[in-house]
Amino acid sequence: MAEADEKLIEEIMKHLDKEVSGGSMRMSVEMDDTQEEYAKVSHKCCKVYGKDSTRMVGELDMYSDLYLTDMKQRGELE
């Protein structure tokens, strides 16, 4: 295995460990063989249910806010 490949795998593992320790339950990794900077990890490629992870987290927050607001309006929540 090339030294660059080993360094890339080390960086990916560090990144995944950090995300998991922060509460992530599941992640996937996409590798770009044409990327020149082998140690660069981008959050742009993080996907959740086929969408960018930041967008998906925002949508989930919005849905939970709407649900809680609806529950409060119906008197199901204090």
Side-chain angles (χ1 to χ4, degrees):
M1 186 180 303
E3 183 181 339
D5 291 340
E6 289 178 19
K7 287 184 180 181
L8 176 61
I9 291 170
E10 286 177 24
E11 282 297 315
I12 290 170
M13 293 306 295
K14 285 180 195 174
H15 180 73
L16 292 175
D17 286 344
K18 181 180 175 185
E19 293 294 326
V20 169
S21 68
S24 294
M25 299 299 286
R26 183 172 72 184
M27 290 187 64
S28 61
V29 175
E30 294 178 16
M31 296 186 62
D32 182 359
D33 293 335
T34 62
Q35 182 174 317
E36 292 180 20
E37 297 177 61
Y38 60 84
K40 184 177 179 185
V41 176
S42 170
H43 289 272
K44 292 180 184 178
C45 67
C46 294
K47 302 278 186 196
V48 177
Y49 301 111
K51 297 181 181 181
D52 290 339
S53 59
T54 52
R55 178 179 172 187
M56 193 67 215
V57 168
E59 288 181 14
L60 291 172
D61 284 346
M62 178 189 70
Y63 293 138
S64 64
D65 289 347
L66 290 172
Y67 179 72
L68 290 172
T69 300
D70 186 51
M71 286 180 68
K72 285 179 184 176
Q73 289 175 348
R74 290 185 302 198
E76 297 174 12
L77 258 166
E78 294 179 13

